[in-house]
């Protein structure tokens, strides 16, 4: 079966440090991955996405790396800020569309000032 | 652009009553909307796919007669939790979009 899971449930970093959040997936047919940020009591917020024909994509302060060989996805946040504190989810969508997302368990990122 | 709203943002109801949650795409049209449920400290679980003008598609284990979905227009989908029970208390989140999904802010349902 397919699943998307996260390695670590919690991550605590010092303000200004870089954060790395990891995600593993089991379905080798996965072709589209998305990272979401969810603050307490709010809906998920899109951060960055990557398709399976890429291995790296960069945004503003964020980078997503995709290693299809080991079915691993990571989100790197540079110069982590207190406002980055939230739960981060990786999600998978298949079939060329973004519908029917399968979410991982989530990693709670806490940023210490 | 691409804003999705939900109403109400929170609701408390008594066991046995029904509750309707609205999901609106404010500045775009969406043939497809999705309903998710999220229990505390857990991930989002897809409940159903709402298709404008046709019946919703429910995920395995989700009772279609308990969670009624109506997608009457390209900007509105509603989820009605019928005969609510305390175990239905959860955070209900919708998303809309035919390609990229945009999430609503969620509705906190508490059944007493």
């Amino acid at each position: 079966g397919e699943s998307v899971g996260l390695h670590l449930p919690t991550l605590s970093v010092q303000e200004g440090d870089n954060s790395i959040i990891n995600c593993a997936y089991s379905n080798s047919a996965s072709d589209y991955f998305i990272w979401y940020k969810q603050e307490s009591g709010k809906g998920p917020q899109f951060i960055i996405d990557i398709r399976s024909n890429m291995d790296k994509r960069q945004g503003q302060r964020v980078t997503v790396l995709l290693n299809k060989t080991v079915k691993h996805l990571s989100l790197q946040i540079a110069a982590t800020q207190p406002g980055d504190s939230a739960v981060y989810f990786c999600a998978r969508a298949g079939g060329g569309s973004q519908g029917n997302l399968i979410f991982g368990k989530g990693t709670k990122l806490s940023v210490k000032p | 652009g691409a804003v999705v709203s939900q109403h109400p943002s929170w609701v408390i109801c008594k066991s046995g009553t029904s509750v309707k949650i609205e999901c609106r795409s404010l500045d775009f049209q969406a043939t497809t909307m999705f309903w998710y449920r999220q229990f505390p400290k857990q991930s989002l679980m897809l409940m159903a796919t709402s298709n404008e003008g046709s019946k919703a598609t429910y995920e395995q284990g989700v009772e279609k007669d308990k969670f009624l979905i109506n997608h009457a227009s390209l900007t509105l989908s509603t989820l009605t939790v019928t005969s609510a029970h305390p175990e239905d208390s959860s955070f209900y989140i919708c998303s809309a979009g035919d390609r990229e999904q945009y999430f609503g802010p969620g509705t906190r349902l508490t059944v007493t």
Side-chain angles (χ1 to χ4, degrees):
Chain A
E2 58 186 292
S3 66
V4 183
L6 295 176
H7 290 311
L8 297 172
T10 60
L11 176 65
S12 183
V13 300
Q14 202 70 35
E15 181 179 359
D17 288 352
N18 297 333
S19 302
I20 299 176
I21 300 171
N22 297 304
C23 185
Y25 62 96
S26 58
N27 189 327
S28 58
S30 301
D31 59 1
Y32 184 69
F33 301 88
I34 312 124
W35 280 101
Y36 289 96
K37 172 186 179 183
Q38 186 180 29
E39 297 176 310
S40 180
K42 297 183 179 179
Q45 176 186 357
F46 174 92
I47 301 173
I48 193 169
D49 58 1
I50 189 168
R51 296 200 175 275
S52 59
N53 60 352
M54 305 171 67
D55 52 20
K56 180 179 180 179
R57 190 157 188 235
Q58 287 184 295
Q60 187 176 11
R61 283 202 307 119
V62 295
T63 301
V64 56
L65 299 177
L66 176 62
N67 186 327
K68 294 180 285 294
T69 302
V70 295
K71 299 178 185 176
H72 183 268
L73 187 72
S74 69
L75 176 70
Q76 300 178 4
I77 304 173
T80 314
Q81 303 168 0
D84 295 327
S85 295
V87 177
Y88 289 80
F89 294 95
C90 63
R92 168 199 172 269
S97 74
Q98 290 203 35
N100 208 1
L101 292 175
I102 299 172
F103 281 80
K105 291 187 174 66
T107 292
K108 183 176 181 180
L109 174 64
S110 297
V111 182
K112 295 176 288 187
Chain B
V3 178
V4 176
S5 70
Q6 285 184 235
H7 178 80
S9 56
W10 61 271
V11 57
I12 301 173
C13 71
K14 292 186 176 180
S15 187
T17 62
S18 296
V19 175
K20 180 186 286 187
I21 302 170
E22 294 184 349
C23 176
R24 293 182 185 273
S25 55
L26 299 185
D27 49 5
F28 68 102
Q29 294 182 331
T31 306
T32 307
M33 292 184 175
F34 301 89
W35 286 97
Y36 296 83
R37 180 167 52 184
Q38 184 178 33
F39 292 108
K41 298 187 178 181
Q42 293 190 24
S43 189
L44 283 76
M45 295 297 293
L46 180 66
M47 298 176 66
T49 302
S50 173
N51 303 297
E52 189 270 336
S54 64
K55 291 182 179 180
T57 303
Y58 291 82
E59 294 300 300
Q60 190 173 9
V62 178
E63 300 175 56
K64 62 180 176 152
D65 294 330
K66 179 171 181 63
F67 299 99
L68 302 179
I69 292 173
N70 186 308
H71 194 155
S73 77
L74 290 172
T75 59
L76 173 64
S77 174
T78 61
L79 169 69
T80 301
V81 183
T82 63
S83 186
H85 291 285
E87 57 264 33
D88 298 323
S89 298
S90 188
F91 194 49
Y92 291 85
I93 305 170
C94 73
S95 69
D98 297 331
R99 295 189 71 247
E100 184 172 344
Q101 283 192 46
Y102 302 95
F103 283 85
T107 296
R108 174 76 59 192
L109 170 63
T110 302
V111 185
T112 60

